[in-house]
Amino acid sequence: MNIQGSTVLVTGANRGIGKSIVEAFVAAGAAKVYATARNPDSVRPLVEAHGDTIVPLALDLSSPDTITAAAQTATDVTIVVNNGGVLRAGDPLSPAVLDNIDFEFDVNVKGLVRVAQAFAPVLKANGGPDQPTALVQLNSVASLKNFAGFTSYSASKAAAYSLTQGLREALAEQHTLVVSVHPGPIQTDMATGAGFPEDMTEPPTIVADSVIDGITNDRFHVFPDKMARDFWGAYEGFAVAVVEPIMAEA
């Protein structure tokens, strides 16, 4: 798939990985990028840096109405990157864990489904056999391993990864590529708030570049940073032998 001239929508675009993804698409030649956030004013620095290429748009992954409205506005989208997500710390025995599950699953899991359902018809209308579209989901190495200190987040990302596999199968017929991105700790406000020291994290640009690579080379699994690549080294055999062929044959 060619990024040049594409129209992209990125959720959670106002900071961190989302902001870097927007900038990577601009650098790769995207014609327009809808930079979405709960408060679209928060993406103003991107507009100031890149001008009319950036279109601010309100979208809250926990609010179905805002997602529907965004899909009705961004009818020219050819690539959707669902980057937005939330994280709360706590182990499985924490008194807050059930509330954390409700909060994180609403955004990280239901949010993905809301975005996919709203934008699948848009991607279908703008694509075809010779012009594929794409849906990218930001998952995590926590999709593969539950870290007890972030147990509900890990569970939400495992569920999101499972749904991403299903979406790949469901969207194949309409020629929409699906990419599942699994970073480890990245230098973001979320990682800082979770207590990761800077020397354990890598810059968000490494994730942004991997998103572009995953789309242009039609890679379903993308593991961008060193920790992620270590996970992939252990997981690749199963993923290639079981996960990807099953989806490809469906």
Side-chain angles (χ1 to χ4, degrees):
M1 183 176 179
N2 190 4
I3 304 298
Q4 187 77 30
S6 60
T7 299
V8 185
L9 181 141
V10 180
T11 69
N14 58 320
R15 62 180 186 171
I17 293 173
K19 182 172 180 287
S20 288
I21 290 172
V22 170
E23 293 170 334
F25 274 108
V26 173
K32 181 192 296 184
V33 182
Y34 292 97
T36 81
R38 287 190 295 269
N39 176 9
D41 288 340
S42 64
V43 303
R44 187 59 51 187
L46 285 167
V47 177
E48 293 170 357
H50 303 290
D52 294 341
T53 303
I54 307 298
V55 180
L57 193 60
L59 190 152
D60 181 345
L61 290 173
S62 66
S63 172
D65 289 345
T66 68
I67 297 171
T68 300
Q72 291 171 345
T73 298
T75 56
D76 52 348
V77 160
T78 56
I79 299 171
V80 173
V81 182
N82 186 43
N83 160 77
V86 294
L87 179 152
R88 286 182 175 174
D91 65 41
L93 302 180
S94 166
V97 70
L98 293 178
D99 288 337
N100 292 349
I101 287 172
D102 289 341
F103 176 65
E104 289 166 321
F105 270 67
D106 187 42
V107 176
N108 298 345
V109 181
K110 291 182 179 180
L112 166 60
V113 175
R114 292 168 183 140
V115 167
Q117 290 183 344
F119 283 96
V122 178
L123 294 172
K124 182 178 182 179
N126 293 329
D130 300 321
Q131 189 177 352
T133 54
L135 172 67
V136 180
Q137 166 64 14
L138 264 292
N139 286 315
S140 170
V141 295
S143 302
L144 305 180
K145 173 178 171 57
N146 192 291
F147 296 89
F150 308 99
T151 193
S152 54
Y153 174 79
S154 300
S156 74
K157 285 300 184 178
Y161 173 44
S162 179
L163 285 164
T164 308
Q165 295 175 44
L167 285 167
R168 185 186 187 212
E169 178 181 320
L171 294 174
E173 187 175 350
Q174 70 172 49
H175 308 287
T176 296
L177 311 176
V178 176
V179 181
S180 183
V181 186
H182 298 260
I186 301 298
Q187 292 168 13
T188 63
D189 292 343
M190 179 182 286
T192 300
F196 287 101
E198 187 171 334
D199 62 1
M200 279 188 64
T201 61
E202 295 189 48
T205 52
I206 198 170
V207 181
D209 291 343
S210 75
V211 168
I212 301 293
D213 178 73
I215 294 171
T216 55
N217 292 291
D218 189 13
R219 304 184 198 280
F220 176 59
H221 287 107
V222 174
F223 287 75
D225 54 280
K226 184 182 183 305
M227 177 184 286
R229 290 191 298 271
D230 288 344
F231 271 69
W232 180 241
Y235 180 60
E236 182 178 8
F238 177 82
V240 171
V242 178
V243 178
E244 292 179 2
I246 289 174
M247 290 187 290
E249 293 168 3

